[in-house]
Amino acid sequence: MDTTTVSSRDGIPTYHERPAIKSSLYGWTVALYIFVGGLAAGLQIVVTAAELVAAPDSATAVLIGRGIALAGAVLGGVLLILDLHTKQRFYNMLRIFRPTSPMSIGTYALMGFGFWSLVAFCTQLFGLPLVGLICGCLAAATGWWMTTYTAALLSATATPLWAVAPKLLAVRFAASAMSTGAATATLIALGAAPALVLAFGDLAALALLIELIASIGATVIRRRRGVNGPLQDATWGPAYIVGVLMFGLCAPLVLYALANFYAGPAQAMAIAASVCVLAGGLLMRGVILLAGNDSAKRPRDYFRFAAGAT
Amino acid sequence: MARQSGRIIIVQEGRFLLEDDAGSHRLFLTSHSLNFNPEDLRALARGQQRITVQYSEPEDLVAGLAESIELAQPSNGNSANPRHGLGATLRGFLRDWSLPRQAVGQSDRSDAAKSTESHQLKARLAEADQVGTSICAYCAVGCAQLVYARNGKVIHVEGDPRSPINQGTLCPKGAATFDLLNSPLRLNSVLYRAPGSDHWERKPLDWAMDRIARLVKRTRDETFVQKLPNGSAVNHTLGIGSLGGATLDNEENYLIKKLFGGGLGMVAIENQARVCHSASVPSLGATYGRGAATLAQWDLANSDCVVVMGSNMAENHPIAFRFVVKAKQRGATVIHVDPRFTRTSALADIYAPIRTGTDIAFLGGIIHYLLENDLWFKDYALNFTNISTIIDHRFKDADQLDGLFSGWNEEKHAYQYDSWQYEGEAVPSSLAEHSVNTAESFSEKTKRMEKGPPPRDPTLQHPNCVYHIMRRHYARYTPEMVERVTGCPKEIFVKIAEALARNSGRDRTGAFCYAVAWTHHTTGVQIIRTAGIIQGLLGNTGRPGGGILALRGHCSIQGSTDVPTLYNMLPTYLPQPQAYKSHEAFADYLKAETTPTGWWHNFPKYAVSLLKAWYGEHATRANDWGYEWVPKIVGDHSQLPMTLAMRDGVLRGMFFLGQNPVIGGSNSRLIERGLAKLEWMVVRDITETETAGFWRSGQLVRKGELKPEDIRTEVFLMPGSLAGEKGGTFTNTHRLIQWHDKVGEAPGDSRSELWFIYHLGRRLRTLYADSTDAKDLPLQNLTWDYPLSDEKGEPDAEAVLKEMNGYTVADRKQIASFQKLKDDGSTASGAWLYCGIFPDDSTNKARSRKPDGPDGPGTHLEWAFAWPANRRNMYNRASADQEGRPWSERKKLMWWDEARGQWDGYDSLDFEPNKAPDYEPDWSQEPQGMDALDGKSAFIMIADGRASLFVPSGLKDGPLPTHYEPVESPVRNQLYGQQDNPVAKKWEAADNRYHAVGDPKFPYALTTYRLTEHHSGGTPTRSVPVTAELQPEGFAEIPPELARELAIENLDWVVISTARGEIETRALVTERLRPFMIAGRKLYQVGMLWHYGWSGYATGDIANALTAVVGEPNTSIHENKSLTCNLRKGRLDGRPQTAPVEHAHRLDVVIG
Amino acid sequence: MLPGMIPNEAELTAGVKIEAGRQYGFFTDTTLCIGCKACEVACKEWNSLPADHLTLTGMSYDNTGALSSNTWRHVAFIEKVRSDGADGAMVLPPFQSHWKMMSDVCKHCDNAPCQEACPTGALFRTEFDTVVVQQDICNGCGYCVPACPFGVIDLNELDGKAHKCTLCYDRLKSGLEPACAKSCPTDSIQFGELSDLHRRARARVQSLHEQGAGDAYLYGAPGGPGATGNLGHLHAFFLLTEQPEVYNLPSAPSRGADRVLPSLLAGLATAVLLTGAAFGFLLAV
């Protein structure tokens, strides 16, 4: 009752139960950006791969994919500017290059990705396939950065939930980018190149498997470091376990697998799986982001994280 | 969205301060959508361009959010327009582009990233075109400040690094001075409330001055009394009163007393000094001769033991506490004795918790411990105190009479002092009133002091010598008794007594620091006296690092005591003539008040010089220098009786000059009733105080007990000015008189008190010009011609200070020292004790700003001027032993130079420069004055030159401090049958009831206090956002045990009640308060902040709604440190716990 | 009246001449702190920062709560009066004890995560080796906010910029001691050259130990708690007498930038691997 004195439950004292660090102001805009940017990059990568191996009747799918990737890049840029608190100064993002800042790295990655995606799409559209292919490869290469820098960006903060397992967070983001990209490709292929549907599906499945393993590993680390609270408590626990892990990872994994054995409903299952992947991918970014903001509000989580255990 | 037009004064990052045309200020943040860079804003400020800001007012923020800025006039050259358009943006971007700089190898961490703004940046002080030195307007520590101005506008205020007091530092209040000058709630025009009205009206200054002058004349003419029924002349009015002065300059207080007292015949003239430190004057005065701090604050750094008691020094005088920390760093022991564990306790070595109001029991215990363990400093005490003096054989002590002294008169409820005198002679007091209230003629018996030294027994064998009387008196104050009465464990008490003794003597010194927790008691004077006795016994007075530091509350509260806006004194400690004393004619007055021996033998010179200063050529020997024009008092006209006089309709008109009694006065609701009875009142302050607004938002109005339409009081609220906006002097807590420069202009119609009083006087003199009525002569004859210093008609404060200093009447030459004042009318001096501050026409010593270097003596004699005669450590003759040698090398201050036959040293000598230590008066010549004092008389203001451990005359409640319980106490007095101070002043009435001892309806002890973040009544901090936010709401501190008993959680609302009223506030449950086991029962104390009210940014209920009008016998100071109360969880009027706080009128200065 | 500001005033107030190219900082000695909050006020006065949240918190005498975009100095209050028994403390260790007060401020880390995170270069290291947000550059991306391991820097959504203590950059440029340190009544906050402050601080800890305050230690001095995880030393460091968490400080904060490379590599590896897999699956078609 006497809260004027220092409060100290389970050993770790806090300052009147106040947060020790500040939460980010990131919300769904940023979650959507991470999702869209990753998806666009993943998609650019798979369609470029398809073009490189000259997969049968992939041309239309590739063009559509490039189009969507470009659209994703543009939308991503718009989302980022929308999230600035002094929007009219968006151009200062290009003022300097900070190798220590994933956001700075990401800015140039997005610029590069967007630029090459644009050129690739246009050249292809106006029948310069070779140039298109080369630019596509460059877009895909910058795409690699797009799939992962956002994880580095979150890990580089002091927010316990994000910073506690930097490598695994990056694996999950990259894998999710590839799975969502592949899932989109699957949906495109449905009409344009039915032959590719299963291939894209298998790729998505593999990405999901990697993400699932990484997620489990991350949970182990978070629990060991005592910062897993926000992902198991009422606010985000259900969304994370049911939505992200079950619905977003396990379910499509099963569906893609089954699609390989039951030719009949394959298409339907691929569609269902892809929808799960896309929804799950977005939900995963959102939950990680918002639960992260909560974890920053928990002084003991932060003190445990910053107690020199590493 | 609101709009405001004006000019930008300050730019910091994207924020800026705007001054509108009325002189009001508002801070703005620039909205994210507004593309103004700092450099754009600075260009606007530099160009002094008038702009219009469109702004919103965000929740929970005391600033505007600028959404758009328009230039009222086209840009004058400097590119003041916001950067817009693609070209501008691109140019800006390229100019600050880092990539190319990175390319050539500059670091992205630093150089490559540096912007134009960062290259151009410099401190705004560098642009100041005027830097004045000022003195902090908050407490009495007297910190020096530098006030920076650009284009006549103050742009910043901070500590003056040259000051030996604050050395550049400032406390949270002083640091907020710039925001005080620029408070958004600051008044800038006269507000007028017509009788019965429910709103303010703005009025022209001239109209208000004229109206006030006429009201004063009307009320004076209706209430003026020339003679009492018994025929004795009084020439006074009891119908008009004035309250306030401690926040004002000495020059202003001087003119207030001169016009109101010397001109209009008002006697009810009081200021905060009465309710702050009035108890210090008789206590320290009767003991040492002068009623003020004995040492300079910086001298505390030389102390080996600092006892802070009756003070929360770290919180309320942080910059003075700076020197306690310095002493600590040099190895001193720091002791804090207090009912609460405060921020002072946190830095102490020993903390002693005591029950509020038991200080005399604690200190008496120390005297007992020193005497019985023979730990007192004999060479010092035997030579410099009256410890060996023999007292009248008829004297009977409280020890024998169960708490009373001999001479008690039950009917009169007063003492007759005959039996307290020295054997065979009556001793005149060293206080303002020197006359002794004895049966035999004062002069007859006192004259005997010229015939020989007082009867002494240096061997201390005589049973009635002070030594044995004290031993008997304090015999019962044993450590065990101290624990039983105060609640402080005896081990801790003994540790403190020993630490004090260990750190006193030839080579070591200790100091006491106290404040209003010693004065705010019905035993206040005697508490301080007890410390005086201890310091006398331990030889800690007049020596480096030794003494008693009275820590006073307002910037010039010492000044308003010296140059008194107090009813019972004339400037610098001359008694106000009294109708019921032998003061009828000037001769009687001189006869009664001139002491045969000691410095006060010079009394007539000072009295005549004062009358010459007031009445000029009209004061002649023929008319007794105009003595009869000085109004005579007929009793106690101090603040508490004034409160009742308002309620009873005796006072009809009131001036409130920077004082806010609704917050600071006892029994706040009774005061509101009094205000509602007044015909008119003038409030002069910087913002709307609770006193000024009582008729629209007062406690009684909100309770429905009063309705605005029924309140006939005509109210004038006039904006005042602050240090930095006017020139003048403050006298700080250690008697240092420091000048503050005028740097900026006060907003709008704000004027200084000097301006107000001078022009009110001018108007009144015009109104009375043609009168032939004798009663109007004092006003007509008043010297009232002061040069004006500016177009607003501000009188030249230096001219007033010159008059206070004194001059020769014939050729009007400044007088360099009060030794040169005469009683033949050839000299005039408005405040003899300040003589020497303006020794010649061109030297204003209050303005002197030369500190001693690090290698200097550290007395800083060139930094400002200290009364008397620039002495920094009073009674410093005592810093040398009986033969005039320093007690030790380490504690060297003054010494006798045999070769040169004079005294030498680091301070200004408080003794006769050529009087040898071995000088003995030639009694055959019946020596008078100083000739009757020997070479060991370090206390020259006292008739026998010795510090009075035992006080024969001057105190109404006993020659020795005796523990009495507060008038309201939860327990019986365990030392005597006499429960409380027998001569305490009680004004019990239906609206001012007292609680009986141990009344079960009010089981808890209640004490009131303030926090470092707020100043006194809170007006100058609650109206300043940056200090208000630090302690934004009122609260009461409650010990966890009591909170548990009453199921009170931290932050819960609680109701505190007394017989005077009940208030609601928030609970702060804290271990810093602890229960005491007293007389076998657990006793809880509740702590309540008294500096809240309903106006300003920080608000809360008024603690003084709980307190009672009850007074200390010598000074009528109130007792708000020790009361009893009840406490319960909940709110008033059944409001729910969860109801939001009502910040009533937080921002409301709306004019109806 | 003075002709103008006192040149190199810091030499009078802090005994130091302020020159570009040297390292400056704060040493905050909590054992000298009386919790008066002069630092908070002096900071707001100099920097024209607005007052906000005028409500009682009930957290001892702390109604400020935390550092924010409007508050760059924050005095923490922790009551431990009766932690050593119901009677409470009476014989006390020297200087501050039992009611802990500490004036918190931006640490101006040697490797400042906020500066390292800032994508615009608004946050940079000045010529005095302090860390400042340049208000003419900041576009309010907000990344510095979660990046700070001490929860100092804050984004003001009203003006859309990040704000924090500048260690009075403008004052340093004009030879003035920072406002908070200059005002501090007991010199609990000391400004000076870092190397000098480190020397002073170590001596202070030693003398406190000798006087019986054995729990005194430095937070943020080279090699000590606070100066961990590659942050390097803190330019604002503290003398504390309780474990860091009591003052809301992490015992071993770390540099976020160190997590960037491992994270990127792991992610890139995953992406490249899955790209390879893509070729595999597609070739199989």
Side-chain angles (χ1 to χ4, degrees), chain B residues 243 639 646 656 659-666 668 671 675 691 1104:
Chain B
L243 206 51
Q639 184 176 333
M646 278 190 266
F656 297 100
Q659 189 166 347
N660 187 8
V662 168
I663 299 296
S666 301
S668 174
I671 292 169
L675 298 177
T691 300
N1104 272 313

Side-chain angles (χ1 to χ4, degrees), chain C residues 172-241:
Chain C
L172 297 193
K173 278 170 171 274
S174 305
L176 291 155
E177 181 180 13
C180 57
K182 183 186 170 184
S183 74
C184 183
T186 55
D187 299 324
S188 168
I189 302 172
Q190 296 167 37
F191 165 80
E193 256 195 274
L194 220 42
S195 50
D196 180 37
L197 291 179
H198 286 144
R199 221 172 298 118
R200 252 189 263 169
R202 293 203 183 84
R204 173 67 176 166
V205 171
Q206 200 182 352
S207 89
L208 280 169
H209 288 177
E210 285 159 6
Q211 293 175 65
D215 44 12
Y217 70 98
L218 297 180
Y219 179 91
T228 49
N230 254 341
L231 287 175
H233 57 273
L234 308 181
H235 281 236
F237 64 104
F238 304 80
L239 189 155
L240 306 176
T241 54

Side-chain angles (χ1 to χ4, degrees), chain B residues 933-987:
Chain B
L933 298 190
D934 67 14
K936 298 198 282 289
S937 301
F939 300 86
I940 57 174
M941 306 306 288
I942 296 187
D944 66 339
R946 301 294 192 277
S948 305
L949 304 185
F950 182 102
V951 172
S953 314
L955 299 181
K956 298 185 170 66
D957 51 353
L960 284 173
T962 308
H963 170 71
Y964 301 116
E965 285 292 324
V967 165
E968 279 185 2
S969 170
V971 295
R972 290 226 135 275
N973 188 344
Q974 296 176 70
L975 278 156
Y976 307 97
Q978 180 61 39
Q979 171 69 12
D980 55 12
N981 192 332
V983 277
K985 295 189 176 179
K986 299 180 180 178
W987 290 278

Side-chain angles (χ1 to χ4, degrees), chain B residues 388-529:
Chain B
S388 63
T389 308
I390 297 157
I391 303 303
D392 193 301
H393 59 280
R394 293 165 298 171
F395 175 74
K396 283 207 166 20
D397 185 75
D399 185 65
Q400 299 152 276
L401 304 177
D402 201 19
L404 291 171
F405 292 92
S406 50
W408 176 247
N409 180 322
E410 189 57 45
E411 310 79 74
K412 286 198 188 141
H413 236 72
Y415 283 109
Q416 191 74 27
Y417 309 136
D418 303 62
S419 63
W420 304 357
Q421 303 302 310
Y422 291 171
E423 186 64 272
E425 60 187 36
V427 189
S429 125
S430 51
L431 306 176
E433 283 174 28
H434 309 298
S435 52
V436 193
N437 177 8
T438 53
E440 296 173 70
S441 153
F442 170 68
S443 52
E444 285 322 302
K445 240 184 155 196
T446 50
K447 279 267 179 271
R448 298 184 200 159
M449 297 200 74
E450 302 164 3
K451 302 207 164 43
R456 297 195 184 110
D457 174 13
T459 67
L460 304 182
Q461 299 306 306
H462 196 290
N464 249 30
C465 74
V466 170
Y467 171 73
H468 286 294
I469 290 175
M470 285 205 301
R471 283 191 63 191
R472 292 194 294 272
H473 182 81
Y474 291 107
R476 61 182 69 189
Y477 292 64
T478 61
E480 293 69 24
M481 180 56 83
V482 168
E483 177 166 347
R484 279 177 52 198
V485 176
T486 68
C488 171
K490 63 172 186 296
E491 303 71 27
I492 299 300
F493 161 77
V494 168
K495 267 190 168 38
I496 290 170
E498 280 170 346
L500 254 171
R502 193 170 55 248
N503 289 296
S504 306
R506 289 184 166 272
D507 203 36
R508 305 181 78 74
T509 52
F512 272 86
C513 303
Y514 77 94
V516 296
W518 268 4
T519 62
H520 289 175
H521 295 278
T522 46
T523 52
V525 167
Q526 296 289 359
I527 296 175
I528 303 160
R529 272 267 302 137

